[in-house]
Amino acid sequence: GCWYQETGDADWIAECFEAGHADLTRKIGRPPVTSRTGWEFHNDATMRQIRCLGVRMDFSAIPGRHTRGCPDRWGSRFNCHVDWRGTPEEPYVPSPADYRLPAEGGGRGGPWELPMSVLHSDLLRLARVARKACAGRRGAIGEMLTGRSSQVPSAGGNKLYITMPPVLFSRLVVQQLRRARTTGWASLVTAMHPDEMCATGCRLTALHHPGHVEANLKNLVRHARRSGVRLRFTTPAKITDLATRLRLADGLEAQLP
């Protein structure tokens, strides 16, 4: 009588992945080589399945994010269970024993996991929790403040879409540019939903707006020039080729832009 999120039936999950992969292959005329799962959900079974399907790059990880999930006020079990505890903030080949962690020795055969860039901010984390509470999900304000609610995410990074306000996205830009100057390179990985590119009808017009994209890109270029950091714009599909070449040279950590 309600929706729920299936996280335990590995055979059924594999069947869904196979069906979706086959349909996409028919629609676009070639097998997809990149993936991003809904609500960033993954486990060992799903990661194993995209490996079997030949996916070369997945970009679902939100380093540090952990939400146990629970029913909403309508009884739905579609509860956004997410667990990326311990996941690094750099590209890695997932371990067969734990999808959240890099494989020993760097791994072979892929797929690569390209984690989204996250901004570390306790204020944004509290704002995210408050928004969930206002949306009517289970958990009283007292639970939210004490951290007892099963919907309260653990201390982790805050993903920022490029459609979000520049005042927020610029903080992520500055953080990643600082990391690039310190370590020699850094990746800034972001995403957006299709409806966020519509001038009207966005889910959260005040938070996601197509006009923010241009402003965020201009800020990125301006900050990079000030920092003396060279930019390279690319897509996950192209990163798979670059990662493969660099992995063969055992130089991913030192060279991936």
Side-chain angles (χ1 to χ4, degrees):
C2 65
W3 292 97
Y4 71 97
Q5 181 185 22
E6 176 59 72
T7 61
D9 190 337
D11 291 338
W12 185 82
I13 291 174
E15 181 182 340
C16 290
F17 270 64
E18 290 170 356
H21 186 272
D23 285 345
L24 280 172
T25 299
R26 284 193 294 269
K27 285 290 185 180
I28 65 179
R30 57 175 174 78
V33 296
T34 63
S35 64
R36 178 170 170 79
T37 55
W39 283 268
E40 298 94 33
F41 170 76
H42 256 305
N43 59 21
D44 292 332
T46 58
M47 196 66 75
R48 182 168 57 249
Q49 188 61 31
I50 66 171
R51 181 183 298 113
C52 293
L53 293 171
V55 171
R56 294 159 56 194
M57 178 69 76
D58 179 75
F59 52 112
S60 304
I62 310 293
R65 178 70 62 84
H66 177 223
T67 304
R68 287 174 293 173
C70 67
D72 60 21
R73 61 180 176 178
W74 298 283
S76 172
R77 297 295 306 189
F78 195 68
N79 53 17
C80 300
H81 169 73
V82 176
D83 189 354
W84 290 103
R85 288 174 292 180
T87 298
E89 296 185 31
E90 298 83 24
Y92 69 99
V93 176
S95 167
D98 191 337
Y99 68 98
R100 301 169 297 182
L101 304 177
E104 292 185 9
R108 291 293 186 271
W112 285 95
E113 182 62 41
L114 180 66
M116 281 195 69
S117 300
V118 292
L119 178 65
H120 298 280
S121 169
D122 291 337
L123 183 61
L124 282 180
R125 176 176 173 268
L126 289 175
R128 188 171 72 243
V129 173
R131 182 165 62 86
K132 288 184 177 182
C134 292
R137 296 189 178 184
R138 190 177 67 181
I141 295 298
E143 289 182 326
M144 180 185 73
L145 295 177
T146 58
R148 292 195 303 268
S149 173
S150 60
Q151 279 293 344
V152 176
S154 63
N158 301 273
K159 64 178 181 180
L160 295 181
Y161 295 137
I162 198 169
T163 51
M164 297 181 75
V167 67
L168 294 177
F169 198 80
S170 289
R171 295 186 61 186
L172 179 63
V173 167
V174 171
Q175 172 187 284
Q176 296 306 96
L177 290 175
R178 186 181 299 117
R179 178 174 296 176
R181 287 180 59 85
T182 301
T183 65
W185 70 272
S187 57
L188 198 163
V189 184
T190 185
M192 60 186 172
H193 296 98
D195 63 322
E196 293 165 0
M197 293 305 293
C198 301
T200 58
C202 292
R203 289 167 298 166
L204 293 170
T205 304
L207 190 58
H208 299 276
H209 194 277
H212 295 154
V213 176
E214 181 179 1
N216 285 328
L217 288 174
K218 287 182 176 179
N219 284 338
L220 172 60
V221 172
R222 183 173 66 254
H223 284 300
R225 286 174 177 170
R226 290 178 179 175
S227 302
V229 175
R230 181 172 62 91
L231 295 176
R232 180 184 296 182
F233 292 91
T234 187
T235 64
K238 293 180 180 179
I239 290 177
T240 60
D241 297 327
L242 178 61
T244 300
R245 293 200 305 271
L246 295 178
R247 183 63 189 86
L248 292 174
D250 290 326
L252 175 67
E253 289 76 14
Q255 300 178 44
L256 185 64

